[in-house]
Amino acid sequence: MSLTDGIDTRSESRRADISSMFGSNVTYNLGDSQHTKSDYTSDITLYAPEVIEIQYPKISSEDQLYPLCLFNSFGLEWNADEKNENGVMVVIEWHGAMVFGEDYPNAYIRSTDVFPDTGKTCINPQMFDGIPDTALCTLTILRGSIENELVNGYSCKLVAESHQCIQFILIRNVKKNEA
């Protein structure tokens, strides 16, 4: 007996390969698969934006695993999608972890902002309010589309989104070495 016994691997691979839908309009047909002529079905088309990828700060090796990012000049770059009219959402989270000093086990801060999908922005320093120097934070950037539709009395929500996360060390205090 093999691991694939009883599984239609052709349909499994079709479901798993959805990468081609990103960057294009996708049409969904909502309705009962056993529908009759009187049943309601609906075709909904939404734009599935391109898969988002952070280009800066870029983590390309283990020694860059946690980039140092200044709270007042945090530049962020990603692959822009000119067809995406919804913009991108940036989420900053801190769960109380510190690189230096003691952790704050009961702390949790989340800030969000939305930017035009131009491929770059400077994050508003207010997004880091309440987060101390050398805090280990997570940045999530995402873009997508969402449609709500009522089908046969049921509310259906269609979502096409992609996101990417990186962890970084927030730097607030920079001291100059005076010679």
Side-chain angles (χ1 to χ4, degrees):
M1 177 178 215
S2 75
L3 292 175
T4 59
D5 284 352
I7 297 174
D8 182 352
T9 55
R10 291 170 298 165
S11 63
E12 287 294 316
S13 64
R14 268 196 311 266
R15 276 200 304 257
D17 185 19
I18 62 170
S19 61
S20 64
M21 77 175 224
F22 290 97
S24 65
N25 288 318
V26 179
T27 301
Y28 298 89
N29 179 272
L30 300 179
D32 187 352
S33 62
Q34 306 296 322
H35 69 276
T36 63
K37 289 183 180 180
S38 63
D39 285 336
Y40 173 80
T41 62
S42 177
D43 286 340
I44 298 175
T45 300
L46 65 90
Y47 177 67
E50 294 178 21
V51 173
I52 198 161
E53 296 177 14
I54 297 172
Q55 296 173 340
Y56 181 84
K58 186 70 172 173
I59 299 170
S60 57
S61 65
E62 192 171 317
D63 63 331
Q64 299 170 340
L65 194 55
Y66 300 110
L68 303 174
C69 299
L70 293 171
F71 85 103
N72 59 355
S73 61
F74 190 143
L76 178 64
E77 295 180 17
W78 64 94
N79 59 319
D81 182 350
E82 62 187 38
K83 295 179 187 175
N84 175 29
E85 298 175 355
N86 297 326
V88 297
M89 178 179 281
V90 173
V91 181
I92 303 292
E93 291 180 286
W94 177 57
H95 293 271
M98 299 295 296
V99 176
F100 297 108
E102 291 189 32
D103 291 344
Y104 297 82
N106 296 323
Y108 178 69
I109 293 176
R110 180 186 333 176
S111 299
T112 60
D113 205 351
V114 177
F115 302 96
D117 196 348
T118 60
K120 63 182 175 180
T121 193
C122 190
I123 297 175
N124 185 335
Q126 291 178 332
M127 287 190 68
F128 304 107
D129 285 355
I131 303 176
D133 186 42
T134 72
L136 181 61
C137 302
T138 302
L139 177 142
T140 303
I141 185 169
L142 63 99
R143 66 175 159 218
S145 296
I146 186 167
E147 291 288 337
N148 293 305
E149 186 77 13
L150 194 60
V151 178
N152 292 333
Y154 294 97
S155 177
C156 298
K157 184 182 293 189
L158 297 173
V159 178
E161 71 90 30
S162 73
H163 64 274
Q164 189 173 28
C165 302
I166 62 166
Q167 289 191 310
F168 65 94
I169 300 168
L170 183 68
I171 302 298
R172 287 189 170 277
N173 302 319
V174 177
K175 295 181 182 177
K176 292 182 181 180
N177 283 338
E178 307 247 351

